[in-house]
Amino acid sequence: MHEMSIAMAVVGQVEEAAGAGGARRVDRVELQVGELAGVVPDSLAFCFELACAGTVLEGAVLVTRPVPARARCGGCAHEWAVGMPPDLCCPGCGRASDVELISGRELRILSVTWEDDPDCAGPAREPISEEA
């Protein structure tokens, strides 16, 4: 289950940013997950909860924002929803040799919300945005 390694990587990155920002507790993490990223959102949520145990993220809510898979044909410039399983043959001209995936592989941290520690005089807090 690679969702556990993804969850641990997200928790590690958020912990680092939260520590540098003087966070007492992380309340919410929002991830962008592409349709073709190979991630099962329910499995990721389960693993995220386990990975957060004993950290400043314990009890944090994980929100996943799905990104549909889309492709563009280099031959005729047609764009289409790829779907799952992916259909990489252009519905405009029928070619499959010059197709570019333009979305659907994303896996990144969009935002993190935390509660500041009043005893920590760290830098001003801003939402973080990093690739997971």
Side-chain angles (χ1 to χ4, degrees):
M1 175 184 305
H2 72 282
E3 282 84 355
M4 181 55 88
S5 62
I6 293 168
M8 291 174 64
V10 168
V11 168
Q13 288 181 23
V14 172
E15 265 190 311
E16 186 177 320
R24 176 193 340 212
R25 180 183 72 229
V26 173
D27 298 317
R28 175 184 165 108
V29 176
E30 189 173 343
L31 294 180
Q32 188 177 47
V33 180
E35 183 177 18
L36 302 177
V39 175
V40 178
D42 289 341
S43 296
L44 182 59
F46 175 77
C47 293
F48 180 78
E49 186 176 340
L50 294 175
C52 289
T55 72
V56 295
L57 285 90
E58 189 162 1
V61 174
L62 176 66
V63 177
T64 56
R65 302 283 181 218
V67 178
R70 294 198 55 80
R72 178 183 308 119
C73 177
C76 71
H78 183 77
E79 288 187 19
W80 71 96
V82 172
M84 198 57 175
D87 180 7
L88 299 176
C89 188
C90 177
C93 68
R95 292 176 45 180
S97 60
D98 191 15
V99 173
E100 174 190 9
L101 283 172
I102 56 175
S103 69
R105 294 179 291 181
E106 297 80 358
L107 181 57
R108 69 178 59 108
I109 298 170
L110 288 178
S111 67
V112 176
T113 305
W114 65 62
E115 182 179 311
D116 290 328
D117 185 344
D119 297 329
C120 181
R125 175 181 65 130
E126 293 185 21
I128 64 170
S129 178
E130 301 178 31
E131 287 197 16

